[in-house]
Structure formats: structure tokens, C-alpha cells
Amino acid sequence: MHGTRDGLNWPRAQALAARERASYIARNPESARLAGLAAQHLLFGVPMHWMNDWSTPFALTVSEASGARFRDVDGHEYVDFCLGDTGAMFGHAPSAVAQAIARQSMRGYTAMLPSEDAAPVAAQLARRFGLPYWQFALSASDANRFVLRWLRAATGRDKVLVFNGCYHGTVDDVFVDLIDGVPTQRDSLLGQVHTLTDHTVVVEFNDLPALEAALARGDIACVLAEPVMTNIGMVLPEPGYWEAAQRIIRHHGALLVIDETHTISSGPGGYAREHGMLPDALVVGKPIGGGIPCAVYGFTEELARKVEHAKRGAPSGHSGVGTTLSANMFAMAAMRANLEQVMTEAAYQRMFGLAARLAEGLRDVIARHGLPWCVTRVGARTEFQFAPSSPRNGGEAQAILDGELEQIIHLYLLNRGLLITPFHNMLLVCPATAESDVARLLTAFDECLGEMH
């Protein structure tokens, strides 16, 4: 039996899973009907193939979403602790953003020219994150891809270093794992024809000697990292890790790129600003526009000058950076409203209080059932993991994943009107989340664990 299942009655858990699948099917006839229609013309039967990766027998179809709640086509209402896996971190359809995009919808969407929102948005970003120069993209994947291209051009170095188990969207360069200590291109990456290990170096998070050894070769342009690993299960930096890592990175002439797309849950300026980190470049994606597709990336003054020099010294033609819809007027209006009116200090303080109560409640429930699981929180982001203590690197986090157990818990909660993030056990709160929502989640979680004893 999986070590993650210690303390559980697995036959009872499997019987629970069968009952919950039957309940889901019975509760959702309209979602089932629409899933059948979708299968006629949508590849894999869904708009994006990963929409099939939830715990459900068929996809749940959403009809509307607002604040911390959404409704499905069968009329069920849900409290949303997934929130678009941070895309709706500040709630669905925040009023200020909705009003801004409604106004902009009558004034044009895109013109390939700056809108009047561009300068105020850049000033907001500079104030929040402490980096003076910014550019825009449609997603964090694109932003990370563009930053890697800029930094390779600026440094003349061709390699990037990432951490085992990292997540930076769909950037090809990052799909390299450590398998028995050997850098290995990820088997799940479809259609990749170039050998990624020629230009990507991978080490374990929290391993300073490995970081030092990799950078000592002098060929790495940048380290691309989340300040806290999030997508493989949360992995916190050990005390003093980032202070030492930044010294090592600087010593060897590499640059540090921090991807705050998930860790913007830490505060208005992200984890790096909250913890005194000094990255050379920073990326934020999904949450920055209140759910509208957009992303941002910023540079220090020194790096910005190097980037400008590289561009001006290059032959004319397409740089490989940017898309026609990057920084479109619609997205800029959404970002301005979200930054100025939604992502406020007051909103964060409310989210932190709710997340702290959620984390404490999860620990209490887990302890009451005598399970060897832990709970980790980063600001408004909370996760329970199937191990006695938080993993210290991606390899350890990968080893404790248990998709079958996750899906039982997720489906049980979903059938009771509570959504948490698929693929792992992450929960977000937003300014619209109520204390009663947290209490309801904890009660259902307690009952679920009781059913599996």
C-alpha cells in the first residue's frame, strides 16, 4: 500500500469513490448531455485536454461565476477554493475589473499601439515589485519564454537552470527532470524534437552545493525559479536558502528570474518583495488582470539597459519576442483596474486571515483522524500533503503524490458544493470567501476522512 494511505481503510476508500462517482453522474445530467455534444467536435471532448484531468466521470460545465462562487448548468452552486488555479485569485469577475472591461469594450480591443492605461499600469508594477522596467504578454508561459530569450541575448550565454519538478507554464526549456540524479527530458512532453538537456540544467530545490556546482561552469544565463515551488505540491525554501542562493548566482555571473504567478498569493508585491529578494527579472501571469488573459515581466535598470543594447545591436526583423495581441487595450484596462482597486493591501489582509484559519482547521482535522499528513501555507494559498512534514525538494514532493487518493477527496468535496484545485491539494481563498465557506470546507473534509477510516 502507498505510504500516503497509512491510517486509511483503503477498501472503504475505494467503495467511497464508487459511490461518489455514481452520485456525480446522477446529480449532473445536463453536464453529461453537454459533454456528449462536445465530444462530437472538441478534441478529447473538452476545449483543452487537461479539462479531463479532474476527478469527475465527465467534465462539469460552468454557467456563471462571481466572487468566491460559481454555478453549473444543472443549477448547483459551489464555493470555489480553486479559483482558476490562481487565474481568479481575487475572485471571479471582480466588480472593478468588470466595469473597466465593460467601458473598454465600447472603446476598442486592440490597435498595436499604447493605450492610456499603459503608463499607469507600468508605474503600478514598478511600485509594487521594485523593478523599474516592464513589458507585457498574454500568459506567463509567453512571459517566461520571452524573458529567457532576452536574457540569453543580453548575457551571451545559452543555458538556463531550473529546479526539479518546477512549473513555468508551457516553456519547452523547463521540461527537464532529475531521474535518479540524471537530468532527463520529461516523457510526457509531446512533440519535442530538440534535446532540451543541451541547454537546460536542472538541480534540486534547497540544494546549495548542487546549485554552486552547476553555475560554476559559467555558461548559465539565468536561474528561472518560483520562490516557493507550487505545482508539484508546495516546497518551501529552507531558512537562509534564497539569501545564499542569490549570492551564488551573482558570484557566477548568472541572473535570477522569479516567477510569481502562483506566489503572488504572498502579498501585493509577491513573495520576493515580502521576503527581501532582489531578482534581476520577475514574471507574473494569470492573476494580474483579474482573469483576463495577460502577463507582465519586469527588469532591473541594469538588465533593462543590457536588453535594450542587445535589441539595438541585432539585425532588423522579428525578435521572437511579443505577439500582436500583447498589451492589447482590453487587457491593459483590466490590469489597471485590478492593480489599483482589487489587489489591495486590505484585500490581502482579509485573505491571509481566512487562509490561516483554513490551514489551522485542516491541521486539526488531519490530527483528529491520526493521519501522517502536513499542511503548508503561502499567504492566501494553502495545501495539504500526504507526508508528515513538507517536502524539501521536487523529488520528495513527487514521491508523495497519490492521484487516486486526491481524486477521491476532490470528488467527495465537489459533490458537496466545494471545489479545490485538481492535480494536487491546493486551496485558495479570495476577498469574497466567507468564514462560513471555510467552516463548510473543513466539515466536509472531516466527514470525507471519516468515511475512509
Side-chain angles (χ1 to χ4, degrees), residues 186-422:
R186 195 172 300 175
D187 289 340
S188 62
L189 183 60
L190 292 170
Q192 180 61 40
V193 295
H194 303 293
T195 304
L196 297 179
T197 50
D198 288 347
H199 298 285
T200 299
V201 177
V202 58
V203 300
E204 289 284 14
F205 195 63
N206 281 321
D207 188 339
L208 290 169
L211 179 66
E212 174 92 59
L215 290 169
R217 302 185 188 101
D219 56 356
I220 291 173
C222 66
V223 174
L224 173 60
E226 292 183 288
V228 175
M229 295 186 72
T230 62
N231 213 60
I232 199 165
M234 286 205 283
V235 179
L236 297 171
E238 294 181 338
Y241 173 74
W242 274 120
E243 291 84 351
Q246 288 178 101
R247 287 195 299 270
I248 292 170
I249 293 166
R250 284 194 297 269
H251 176 72
H252 292 288
L255 300 167
L256 175 61
V257 182
I258 290 295
D259 184 346
E260 292 269 19
T261 300
H262 286 169
T263 53
I264 191 67
S265 64
S266 304
Y271 186 97
R273 198 77 189 272
E274 289 292 319
H275 293 267
M277 296 178 65
L278 297 172
D280 299 284
L282 185 142
V283 171
V284 186
K286 290 176 282 190
I288 202 73
I292 296 296
C294 56
V296 301
Y297 60 97
F299 296 144
T300 62
E301 169 118 21
E302 181 181 4
L303 179 55
R305 298 300 168 235
K306 290 179 180 179
V307 162
E308 290 176 338
H309 178 76
K311 175 68 179 85
R312 289 173 178 142
S316 61
H318 201 302
S319 63
V321 174
T323 59
T324 306
L325 290 176
S326 297
N328 66 79
M329 294 187 291
F330 203 68
M332 299 301 284
M335 276 189 279
R336 183 174 182 179
N338 202 49
L339 287 165
E340 292 180 350
Q341 301 177 61
V342 180
M343 293 175 62
T344 64
E345 183 66 41
Y348 271 101
Q349 290 308 312
R350 172 166 173 74
M351 291 157 69
F352 292 165
L354 289 166
R357 282 191 282 280
L358 175 59
E360 182 181 358
L362 289 170
R363 292 188 186 102
D364 288 345
V365 170
I366 289 166
R368 186 158 55 250
H369 290 277
L371 295 171
W373 301 351
C374 65
V375 176
T376 306
R377 181 172 77 90
V378 178
R381 186 181 183 94
T382 306
E383 185 165 290
F384 60 93
Q385 293 169 284
F386 304 135
S389 58
S390 300
R392 67 181 300 272
N393 57 48
E396 291 183 8
Q398 177 70 43
I400 63 172
L401 294 179
D402 186 339
E404 193 175 359
L405 176 55
E406 288 173 9
Q407 292 209 345
I408 295 171
I409 297 171
H410 294 195
L411 184 55
Y412 185 97
L413 295 174
L414 187 68
N415 281 339
R416 286 148 187 84
L418 299 154
L419 184 74
I420 70 174
T421 306

Side-chain angles (χ1 to χ4, degrees), residues 24-159:
Y24 178 87
I25 292 168
R27 282 168 46 84
N28 295 291
E30 184 63 8
S31 277
R33 186 186 72 82
L34 291 174
L37 288 176
Q40 297 176 26
H41 297 292
L42 288 174
L43 194 63
F44 303 105
V46 283
M48 286 295 295
H49 69 88
W50 42 256
M51 292 181 180
N52 272 334
D53 292 344
W54 293 76
S55 57
T56 55
F58 47 82
L60 186 72
T61 300
V62 176
S63 63
E64 58 182 315
S66 178
R69 286 168 166 70
F70 70 92
R71 186 175 292 274
D72 69 20
V73 291
D74 286 285
H76 306 122
E77 186 176 89
Y78 300 82
V79 180
D80 192 356
F81 288 94
C82 171
L83 295 170
D85 193 20
T86 73
M89 182 183 289
F90 304 97
H92 296 287
S95 176
V97 176
Q99 292 171 25
I101 62 178
R103 287 194 302 271
Q104 191 61 46
S105 70
M106 302 299 292
R107 302 174 64 203
Y109 299 168
T110 184
M112 290 182 65
L113 290 166
S115 71
E116 61 188 354
D117 293 317
V121 167
Q124 272 276 345
L125 294 171
R127 181 185 63 79
R128 282 175 179 264
F129 298 105
L131 296 174
Y133 292 99
W134 293 84
Q135 290 279 271
F136 300 89
L138 290 176
S139 69
S141 293
D142 270 353
N144 281 315
R145 192 175 291 114
F146 299 159
V147 168
L148 294 185
R149 191 175 287 274
W150 281 125
L151 269 55
R152 282 170 166 151
T155 63
R157 297 180 175 186
D158 64 355
K159 291 186 178 180

